[in-house]
Amino acid sequence: MKSILITGGAGFIGSHVVRLFAKKYPHYKIFNLDKLTYAGNLENISDLESLKNYKFIKGDICDVQLLEKIFIKYKFDSIIHLAAESHVDRSITNPLEFVNTNVIGTVNLLNQFKELHQRNFNGKLFYHVSTDEVYGSLEDTGFFTEKTSYDPNSPYSASKASSDHFVRAYGETYGLAYIISNCSNNYGPNQFPEKLLPLFINNVLNNKPLPVYGDGNYTRDWLYVKDHAEAINILFHSNKIGHTYNIGGFNEWKNIDLVKELCFQMDKKLGKKDGESEALIEFVKDRPGHDLRYAIDASKINNDFGWEPSVDFKNGLGLTIDWYLANIRWLENIKSGKYTEYYNKHYNL
Ligand code: NAD
Ligand code: DAU
């Protein structure tokens, strides 16, 4: 049975990746290592607990002793590494936490993987999940390709860029078998309500202001989270060792237009008057170092594997709103802090 360690599987994207792998591949043993920071939520993956090929491990990728123990015990054949501090605004307030988890945590995993396999990586894989933010910011035209130079602007993107460099360096120095993918903005179910879309969905539901940074003319490329998980699945099972892949939605939106589309769809779903939610928009102080535009050229993964987004954006946005409306309790548990009790309750501590 192939033994696969997925890190950060209680978070937003990680929970979708863990579900895809645990359900699709019953002959893989999936270990989900997660520290359960504020962003980790076991309610995201409560449906997986009864699966025989799935095990949750509560732990920190900065805890070397714990890593040594589990690497010796479970002898992971492959790692899909998603655990990270992921929110740009928090990185501006507390950069060191991002260095610890995103850089040092990643190097800890690389070291353990190298030791376990004694530098013989035949049939093994370290899959590193990264972001388009490492490339910095684009003007009004052009795209990030896999050859674009790194030019990170926030402590978050600098820490992710650093982790990408370490993965690549372990490939060059120790022969590590790795794949790195750099993805654009994900949206969908289970995203923590500090990121733009879930925060604004929550605020519309509660009639609270929608704080748009600066003039709202910042552009992001949006991809439905399950399409990202599927791209990871395809790349994980490819033989493209040592390659980097960009993953994106071919779907650019200026923040202000995106927020207006969200308001339009929410008014309809909530039976509000057209324009009622839009009236909640407030332009607020800009994010320092705010990247103007991200746009991914995903033609490499498209040419090599035929991968493309399966979910059309307006439909995906509708599905996302529907998920939050059907899971108000999930949102409320986060806001009240109750979701942090899940671990003790379900693991009888
Ligand atoms: P998230 O913040 O929702 O989840 C992160 C998870 O990692 C949480 O479950 C958290 O508990 C866990 N974690 C944090 N620190 C840890 C530590 N020290 N040890 C073990 N677990 C720890 O993040 P996300 O949005 O799901 O992003 C997942 C990965 O994908 C990150 O590496 C991020 O950089 C990357 N990414 C995210 C996006 C996006 O739009 N969200 C886009 C591209 C790439
Ligand atoms: O591009 C991939 C990245 O996308 C990931 O690597 C990050 O982990 C993920 O958080 C995301 O980063 P962003 O900074 O683009 O996402 P965020 O949801 O924080 O913001 C999206 C845009 O909306 C950005 O231009 C800032 C703006 N914004 C955000 C918030 C939270 C607002 O205008 N108001 C807000 O309240």
Side-chain angles (χ1 to χ4, degrees):
M1 213 180 189
K2 215 177 169 133
S3 165
I4 301 177
L5 174 67
I6 300 182
T7 68
F12 167 47
I13 302 170
S15 61
H16 290 277
V17 173
V18 165
R19 178 172 299 100
L20 189 159
F21 273 74
K23 291 207 162 163
K24 192 168 179 144
Y25 304 107
H27 55 294
Y28 292 172
K29 178 84 189 181
I30 304 296
F31 296 88
N32 174 7
L33 173 66
D34 198 297
K35 183 181 175 184
L36 298 182
T37 66
Y38 78 93
N41 185 346
L42 286 176
E43 289 182 16
N44 290 344
I45 38 176
S46 52
D47 58 315
L48 303 183
E49 272 161 19
S50 57
L51 294 183
K52 287 205 175 65
N53 67 332
Y54 169 75
K55 182 175 172 58
F56 177 74
I57 304 168
K58 184 176 190 298
D60 187 341
I61 58 171
C62 296
D63 180 347
V64 175
Q65 276 186 345
L66 170 91
L67 292 185
E68 276 170 2
K69 220 170 82 189
I70 62 172
F71 272 69
I72 288 169
K73 188 165 178 191
Y74 300 119
K75 302 195 172 27
F76 307 118
D77 296 299
S78 297
I79 299 179
I80 306 176
H81 176 36
L82 296 110
E85 287 294 335
S86 71
H87 192 38
V88 174
D89 292 333
R90 286 180 190 253
S91 81
I92 295 166
T93 322
N94 192 354
L96 255 188
E97 210 165 333
F98 285 67
V99 175
N100 284 333
T101 287
N102 299 0
V103 185
I104 297 176
T106 300
V107 176
N108 287 338
L109 290 170
L110 289 167
N111 283 339
Q112 293 301 325
F113 202 54
K114 170 165 76 69
E115 288 310 306
L116 176 66
H117 296 297
Q118 302 285 302
R119 303 193 193 183
N120 177 1
F121 296 109
N122 207 356
K124 316 292 176 201
L125 178 63
F126 190 101
Y127 187 114
H128 182 58
V129 177
S130 193
T131 170
D132 61 356
E133 300 205 11
V134 298
Y135 297 124
S137 185
L138 292 163
E139 297 297 328
D140 290 338
T141 56
F143 294 91
F144 297 134
T145 74
E146 288 81 0
K147 293 198 162 54
T148 304
S149 302
Y150 277 27
D151 191 16
N153 291 315
S154 71
Y156 163 67
S157 52
S159 69
K160 291 295 291 187
S162 174
S163 66
D164 292 10
H165 290 321
F166 271 104
V167 174
R168 203 187 144 274
Y170 272 59
E172 292 296 314
T173 309
Y174 307 113
L176 174 83
Y178 74 88
I179 291 175
I180 300 174
S181 56
N182 297 82
C183 189
S184 64
N185 284 62
N186 285 216
Y187 72 99
N190 305 94
Q191 189 169 30
F192 194 85
E194 64 183 350
K195 307 283 168 70
L196 180 75
L197 282 171
L199 175 72
F200 281 30
I201 291 171
N202 173 67
N203 288 11
V204 167
L205 285 173
N206 293 287
N207 228 16
K208 286 167 71 174
L210 307 177
V212 173
Y213 296 162
D215 59 7
N217 282 317
Y218 295 90
T219 300
R220 298 290 183 265
D221 169 5
W222 294 90
L223 177 69
Y224 196 61
V225 62
K226 291 184 189 181
D227 279 328
H228 185 189
E230 180 53 25
I232 291 173
N233 175 33
I234 290 170
L235 294 174
F236 179 87
H237 291 98
S238 74
N239 57 358
K240 298 289 187 182
I241 303 301
H243 278 251
T244 284
Y245 279 88
N246 281 353
I247 305 171
F250 301 98
N251 174 45
E252 286 182 52
W253 284 78
K254 278 192 192 310
N255 290 343
I256 188 65
D257 297 333
L258 177 74
V259 170
K260 285 182 178 169
E261 173 65 24
L262 175 76
C263 290
F264 172 74
Q265 290 205 20
M266 287 200 73
D267 281 347
K268 279 197 150 169
K269 288 180 192 290
L270 297 173
K272 288 179 159 188
K273 278 202 278 292
D274 201 15
E276 217 175 312
S277 298
E278 223 180 280
L280 296 169
I281 292 175
E282 281 184 11
F283 292 94
V284 300
K285 193 167 163 279
D286 212 346
R287 169 187 281 175
H290 200 166
D291 287 330
L292 177 67
R293 176 171 166 259
Y294 303 145
I296 279 277
D297 175 350
S299 48
K300 184 177 172 187
I301 186 171
N302 180 255
N303 291 337
D304 286 359
F305 303 105
W307 175 91
E308 58 184 6
S310 70
V311 179
D312 159 80
F313 182 68
K314 288 191 180 175
N315 289 337
L317 186 60
L319 290 174
T320 305
I321 298 167
D322 289 344
W323 186 85
Y324 281 91
L325 292 180
N327 289 277
I328 298 273
R329 194 187 53 83
W330 181 92
L331 257 183
E332 293 307 323
N333 282 351
I334 286 179
K335 289 192 288 175
S336 69
K338 230 175 146 193
Y339 73 112
T340 57
E341 293 166 13
Y342 190 101
Y343 181 76
N344 291 348
K345 213 162 110 198
H346 286 261
Y347 290 84
N348 289 325
L349 295 173

